[in-house]
Amino acid sequence: MPLLEVDNLEVSFGKHQALRGVSFTLEKGERLGIVGESGAGKSMAAFAVINLISEPGRISGGSVRFDGRDLATLPPEELRKVRGDRIAMIFQDPMMTLNPVLTIGTQMVETLQAHREISFAEARRIAIEKLDLVAVPSAEARFDSYPHELSGGLRQRVVIAISLLCDPEIIIADEPTTALDVTIQAEIMALLIRLCEDTGMGMILITHDLAVVSESCQRLAVMYAGKVIEEGAVNAILQAPQHPYTRGLINALPQMNSRGGLLTQIRGTMPGISELPEGCAFHPRCDFANAACKTAIPELRPLGAQNVACIHAGALKETV
Amino acid sequence: MNAPLVSVKGVEKRFPMPSHFLQLKKPVLHALRGVDMNIQRGEAFCVVGESGCGKTTLGRVIMGLLEPSAGEVHYEGTRIDTLGEGDRRPFRRKMQMIFQNPYASLNPRMNVAKTLAEPLKMLGDGMSAADISAKIDDVMAAVGASKEWLTRLPHEFSGGQRQRISIARALITDPDFIVADEPISALDVSIQAQVLNLLSKARQERNLTYFFITHDLSVVEHFGDRVAVMYLGSVVELSDVAEIFERPKHPYTRLLLSAIPRIGGQAFSAERAPGEIPTAVNPPAGCAFASRCPLAHDRCRVEMPVLRDAGGGAMAACHALD
Amino acid sequence: MTRREFSARFFRDPGAIFAALLLLTLVMLAVLAPFIAPQNPYDPMQIDIMNSELPPYWEPGGEEQFVFGTDAQGRGVLSTVMYGMGISLMIGVGAVMVQAFLGITFGLLAGYYGGWIDSFLMRLADIQLSLSTLMVAIIALAIFQAAFGPGTYESLALYMLILVIGIAEWPQYARTVRANVLVEKKKEYVDAARLTGMPARRIMLRHILPNTMTPLLVISTIQVANAIVSEAALSFLGLGMPVNRPSLGSLIRSGFEFIFSGQWWITTIPAIVLVLLILSINLLGDWLRDTLNPKLYKGH
């Protein structure tokens, strides 16, 4: 049985659906990348998994099975024990997690003591151990630093150390490197991969960058307009994408062999949640769309090594 | 070699930082520390580097939005950085800019028609209203925008559409030279491709010269002819794009190349020690990259290397090349 | 926010509708006073001293002709209040126009040019703010009154009040404008305008100023209320409008001495109207601030 099984999760804001069916599974120690453009609902999906949707939004359907329980219906008190403790989260902006007026040490000790009954000395020992683990140089000295005294890369390392305090089974990383420079991104991603491999922790990586997922994850879920439209092993999808949108995303990346010419572009833009077309949400931008695409909303169905939500999937190979 | 279209000679830019009046050593941010480059007519010259390396400042100095603290900027052999507003007008028409943030680069209170008409009204030497309107239709068609957009306000458009309008505004004076400051970094992947293609087409049709500022080497690989890699206010390597990807000379370029994630790549396989870009406020003597460089030796910490021929048509600033 | 969203939010908010209707009623009463007021209190022919100190008509001895009673000179309180409110509004709006002109000019200059211009203007604003509006006004008006005599003063009081209250409160505008200019001038559309070779003055007026209008609209409503209150306070102290052309403040003052002798209406009626006027403006101002402030406005 998978560690985490998200099935057809839906989130609504009033009469609009922000998530229209998100399904994926995560095995123990597995790394899953959720990729989508801004507004596709990938961050929303991450928040919905730990039932952290704020008003007026609400989970309106589906389930999140974790350790035999459904997080979507768990009472708040039980949820609090899961969040931070067994499922940790890190964000794009480290300052969303770090309080600028408290030292890093204070914040780490407080986080630990909120989840466990331990002494300050013990908490401090664990905190410094975690700072060492994320390769913060001179961790003992950094324990008493304020967040603003650190560079962006170090801050993100500290945030990762905080998320590791309770030895979570899953870490949800929402665009953890988007605000960082490319060399710092490589450091942080390599660190996250090593931590997952060393501790057996699973990771859900939310990103807009297919290449980052390709280099760091085993599984991939591609989201479009609030729905997972393709899901499966990273290599399988990147080598043979079955959904026209996934294919378009891969082809749109500038590469060495596109030099001097034009990129294959997807026309138009992704619709917002209040302006979704009938049928498949991608059909107005899709080169393969026909009359059937305008009426039926395709569901994820298995196709080879992956799951695809497109009625043409499988027939695409010949056309391209 | 032909005479360059734009040349930058020894440009420095220093920003004094807020300080206490009793402070003896006033903090000064050295955004540019002696930059030399020649941009040839018709090429797509890319400048790549991480945040704080001075690439945006350089673009703004070239455009005259910032005055250099030292050094010169020439356009077709004329020194332009010291020109007054009146003498600068003919150059303003030939030099245009595309900005990074599509949500800040259009005046939220001005509709598209007014936004596009403005450069012509200021620089068009008394163009008639009909000519202006014809010109607007012309650029709108060139960027793939529909005529209905003209009466709308910026907030009615998506980021990609706004960037098209920005490009139309830059093209409307028929410039020869365009500084594009990270024009696609705020956009989604599928929209990035649309805008990048638009820039490629405009270049072919109008014989444009680009000064393309980016942090993304894969865009350079796709789009650029030559590239300057910047680090902490100076150029560390300047070379043909093909050469730089095949035989990077500077250790920083190598680090940068190894860090780009690619589909099926290996960028995250080796864990690195935390590397920090030193601050540009009162930067240390010597090579700025020395603190992160695997090849650094004593000389690198005292003497700043200068850009010199590194073989294969490339220039690099590194003592290890001696 | 578009105009349609704005009006949609307005019509969904009963508080805003109430405030706007109240304000509209009061303003209409003041503006249309020459046509609808029962008497013209400025016209000595219509005033009969025999009618003085009549109570409101619902009290014993009241006359239907004077709904809210009459004052010591026999003027109908309803009429004087309608005319007086007009004068109060004129001073409030006029003073705000002076404030806005000075404040916007100085704020734009300070924000756009920075450097010593900014330091100079903002220190000037600090000094101005450290002296209370009333203090400045009292000193200025007292000197003026002493220098030119009460006759000249009475004929020029309206303009003097507008000028004095206007000058005393310009820093409110200047600070708001400057703060917004500092934000806006960093935006790339200003750079784009600079690249067309547009002169600084035109960039400020054409590009930056329109984008600072929203917060100005909000403080303008509050400032009108403040100016009316300042004027009322000055008139109450005898430094405002003369008795023969009374504002709400002078009406309250002139009736104040009668309050202990039982003629409560002479001072209470204008006071209630002043409170309603200020309340409606402030309610509307608060609603505008909540609606237009993008930090408070949720959904966009």
Side-chain angles (χ1 to χ4, degrees), chain B residues 125-140:
Chain B
D125 287 328
M127 272 174 90
S128 71
D131 286 348
I132 289 179
S133 161
K135 194 81 209 165
I136 289 175
D137 291 348
D138 183 38
V139 287
M140 290 288 280

Side-chain angles (χ1 to χ4, degrees), chain A residues 37-38 135 151 181 183-187 189-191 194 211 214-215 256 258-263 265-266 268 285, chain B residues 50-51 188 190-191 194 197 218 221-222 224 256 259 261-268 271-276 292:
Chain A
E37 297 182 86
S38 45
S151 69
D181 280 315
T183 56
I184 313 293
Q185 161 171 286
E187 288 170 13
M189 288 312 303
L191 170 72
R194 197 244 307 158
S214 155
E215 296 216 13
M256 195 66 203
S258 66
R259 230 187 109 59
L262 294 182
L263 296 166
Q265 64 188 51
I266 310 174
R285 303 176 71 188
Chain B
E50 297 179 282
S51 50
D188 275 314
S190 70
I191 312 300
Q194 294 173 1
N197 283 350
S218 40
E221 195 173 18
H222 166 76
L256 213 50
R262 288 169 192 276
I263 288 180
Q266 298 286 311
F268 307 152
E271 195 164 351
R272 299 170 172 86
E276 300 301 337
R292 296 169 78 182

